């Protein structure tokens, strides 16, 4: 278990541990550095690159999974249904540090480009470019594809890339942890950053509406899925209900594995937990156990396990369901820039 994974347990405790107290001075320093960086871009001491098409950044203010990837998949579909031609850029988290634009499709190697990028390409069928420099990624995307709107997967803190719309995803289960900046807490930016974005989407039920954020209007998102798909033969499907009252090994190398475990338990599946670090690159031995029980995982994990899976291995395909006014919200935000699909 990595140090990062261990420290996260302290971030989401209700009481401040001794370790968090010792890390507070580093959090204050990190906050200062974040402020200086924001100031340099805000007052044009550092250059921000603007593009001739709208750029939508979908990100978060915390470290770890918030449900951003399912939301990007949902957003790409909504934009396409409204007549747009979306393209996606990503840093390629979980893969190699790619310094030059690299095109990704559903068959790309997740060890090279990152698991989330492969999943996005597979589910959205949008042109997708990864690069640590998102500005270069957008340039590549616009030069070599017909997309007329760009979604940046993550990048809320990548101020070098001008954005027309900012969407922040918040995990309703873990919320903002202890409210401290890194490394004493999970925050990448101060809490008040949420007040400056165009749209806040809360993944799952939350108490945020009763907190200091009650003046911010939230949209609610839920992740739904009741069909398991075989890793060995992807055309083979099985309803989750078939495993009701049965025991299964459940593998999770995602930002918030407890959400996935809870989803399966709601279907009355007895879960044997196997937790790995987010973006973990699996080996064959990681998903084989000394019995014949079914092995379940997320689709993001499955991307990295298909080459050595057998008939026991299944992944749960989930989709984001955003409240009924969400599609209208996207249209309103785009109309602010007088942009119509062509």
């Amino acid at each position: 278990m990595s140090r990062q994974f261990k420290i996260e347990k302290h971030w989401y405790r209700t009481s401040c541990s001794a370790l968090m107290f010792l890390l507070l001075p580093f959090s204050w320093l990190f906050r200062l550095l974040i402020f200086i960086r924001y100031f340099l871009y805000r007052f044009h001491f550092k250059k921000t690159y603007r593009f001739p098409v709208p750029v939508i950044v979908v990100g978060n203010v915390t470290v770890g999974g918030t449900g951003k990837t399912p939301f990007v998949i949902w957003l790409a579909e909504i934009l396409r249904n409204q007549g747009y031609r979306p393209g996606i850029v990503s840093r390629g988290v979980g893969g190699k540090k790619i310094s030059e634009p690299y095109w990704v499709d559903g068959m790309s190697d997740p060890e090279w480009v990152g698991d989330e990028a492969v999943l996005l390409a597979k589910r959205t069928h949008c042109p997708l470019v990864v690069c640590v420099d998102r500005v270069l990624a957008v340039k590549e995307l616009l030069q070599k594809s017909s997309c007329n709107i760009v979604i940046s997967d993550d990048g809320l803190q990548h101020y070098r890339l001008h954005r027309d719309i900012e969407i922040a995803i918040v995990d309703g289960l873990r919320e903002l942890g202890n409210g401290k900046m890194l490394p004493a807490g999970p925050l990448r930016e101060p809490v008040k950053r949420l007040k400056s974005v165009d749209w806040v989407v809360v993944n799952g039920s939350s108490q945020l509406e009763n907190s200091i954020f009650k003046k911010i209007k939230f949209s609610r998102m839920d992740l739904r899925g009741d069909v398991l798909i075989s890793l060995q033969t992807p055309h083979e499907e099985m309803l989750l209900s078939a495993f009701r009252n049965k025991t299964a090994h459940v593998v999770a190398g995602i930002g918030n594995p407890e959400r996935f475990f809870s989803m399966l338990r709601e279907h009355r599946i007895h879960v044997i937990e196997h937790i790995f670090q987010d973006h973990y690159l699996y080996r064959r031995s990681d998903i084989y156990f000394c019995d014949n029980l079914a092995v379940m995982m997320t689709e993001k994990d499955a991307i990295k396990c298909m080459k050595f899976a057998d008939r026991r291995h299944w992944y749960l395909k989930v989709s984001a369901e955003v409240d009924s006014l969400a599609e209208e919200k996207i249209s309103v935000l785009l109309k602010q820039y007088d942009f119509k699909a062509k």
Side-chain angles (χ1 to χ4, degrees):
M1 186 180 293
S2 69
R3 292 181 181 178
Q4 175 70 25
F5 193 76
K6 289 179 179 178
I7 201 171
E8 284 188 9
K9 294 184 177 181
H10 294 270
W11 291 346
Y12 296 100
R13 287 181 177 176
T14 54
S15 58
C16 185
S17 66
L19 176 60
M20 297 300 99
F21 183 78
L22 291 172
L23 290 175
L24 274 177
F26 299 98
S27 291
W28 299 332
L29 176 60
F30 182 74
R31 187 183 186 116
L32 176 62
L33 294 174
I34 289 295
F35 172 78
I36 292 173
R37 184 170 177 274
Y38 176 80
F39 178 88
L40 292 174
Y41 279 105
R42 175 68 177 80
F43 293 98
H44 310 296
F45 291 102
K46 292 178 75 70
K47 186 175 181 180
T48 296
Y49 289 82
R50 184 187 293 266
F51 290 93
V53 304
V55 174
I56 303 175
V57 170
V58 180
N60 47 25
V61 295
T62 57
V63 172
T66 58
K68 178 171 48 61
T69 300
F71 181 85
V72 170
I73 294 170
W74 173 88
L75 178 60
E77 182 180 359
I78 291 300
L79 291 173
R80 188 180 281 119
N81 290 342
Q82 292 185 1
Y84 300 102
R85 299 187 300 276
I88 302 173
V89 296
S90 171
R91 190 178 186 276
V93 176
K96 305 296 183 182
K97 188 176 181 180
I98 300 176
S99 57
E100 295 293 330
Y102 189 94
W103 289 85
V104 177
D105 60 32
M107 299 302 292
S108 296
D109 184 356
E111 187 172 352
W112 180 255
V113 301
D115 46 20
E116 290 176 358
V118 177
L119 178 55
L120 285 171
K122 180 181 175 183
R123 290 285 298 273
T124 67
H125 304 289
C126 290
L128 194 154
V129 177
V130 298
C131 185
V132 293
D133 185 344
R134 289 181 180 82
V135 171
L136 289 180
V138 175
K139 287 180 179 178
E140 177 81 1
L141 194 63
L142 296 183
Q143 288 174 1
K144 299 181 181 178
S145 79
S146 63
C147 73
N148 58 6
I149 191 166
V150 175
I151 304 171
S152 176
D153 174 36
D154 209 354
L156 199 61
Q157 294 78 32
H158 193 82
Y159 291 116
R160 188 164 175 266
L161 174 64
H162 171 82
R163 67 287 313 270
D164 300 291
I165 298 171
E166 290 185 325
I167 303 173
I169 313 297
V170 177
D171 185 343
L173 182 64
R174 300 195 298 181
E175 299 182 354
L176 304 176
N178 58 14
K180 302 291 192 301
M181 298 281 289
L182 289 166
L187 291 180
R188 298 173 171 180
E189 293 186 281
V191 170
K192 65 180 181 180
R193 178 72 169 90
L194 287 176
K195 296 181 180 180
S196 68
V197 302
D198 297 283
W199 190 15
V200 177
V201 178
V202 178
N203 179 12
S205 59
S206 171
Q207 298 300 315
L208 286 174
E209 292 85 348
N210 301 319
S211 68
I212 61 174
F213 308 104
K214 60 185 178 182
K215 294 182 180 179
I216 301 175
K217 291 184 178 180
F218 293 87
S219 288
R220 170 77 177 270
M221 175 179 79
D222 289 294
L223 301 182
R224 306 290 188 193
D226 59 4
V227 174
L228 291 165
I229 299 175
S230 170
L231 271 71
Q232 187 179 54
T233 51
H235 64 274
E236 184 179 353
E237 300 180 354
M238 186 176 294
L239 290 174
L240 266 180
S241 57
F243 290 91
R244 186 184 297 268
N245 298 322
K246 294 183 180 180
T247 300
H249 294 282
V250 181
V251 173
I254 57 177
N256 183 9
E258 186 52 43
R259 179 182 295 281
F260 182 50
F261 298 147
S262 296
M263 184 182 295
L264 297 179
R265 290 190 178 106
E266 287 173 2
H267 285 78
R268 298 184 184 178
I269 296 172
H270 303 299
V271 173
I272 302 175
E273 299 180 5
H274 301 275
I275 302 175
F276 295 87
Q277 184 180 359
D278 195 12
H279 305 294
Y280 179 75
L281 291 173
Y282 292 92
R283 297 167 297 182
R284 190 178 191 280
S285 58
D286 294 322
I287 63 169
Y288 279 81
F289 307 99
C290 298
D291 53 44
N292 289 315
L293 295 175
V295 181
M296 301 177 186
M297 62 188 71
T298 68
E299 189 171 6
K300 190 173 89 166
D301 293 311
I303 290 287
K304 296 166 288 188
C305 296
M306 286 183 174
K307 58 187 176 183
F308 43 71
D310 68 14
R311 61 181 180 79
R312 291 170 292 179
H313 297 94
W314 303 82
Y315 73 84
L316 181 66
K317 183 177 180 179
V318 300
S319 297
E321 290 185 1
V322 192
D323 62 42
S324 59
L325 297 178
E327 190 168 347
E328 182 181 343
K329 176 76 172 178
I330 290 294
S331 298
V332 170
L333 288 172
L334 286 170
K335 284 179 181 177
Q336 294 177 5
Y337 303 95
D338 194 28
F339 180 84
K340 297 180 181 179
K342 297 179 182 179

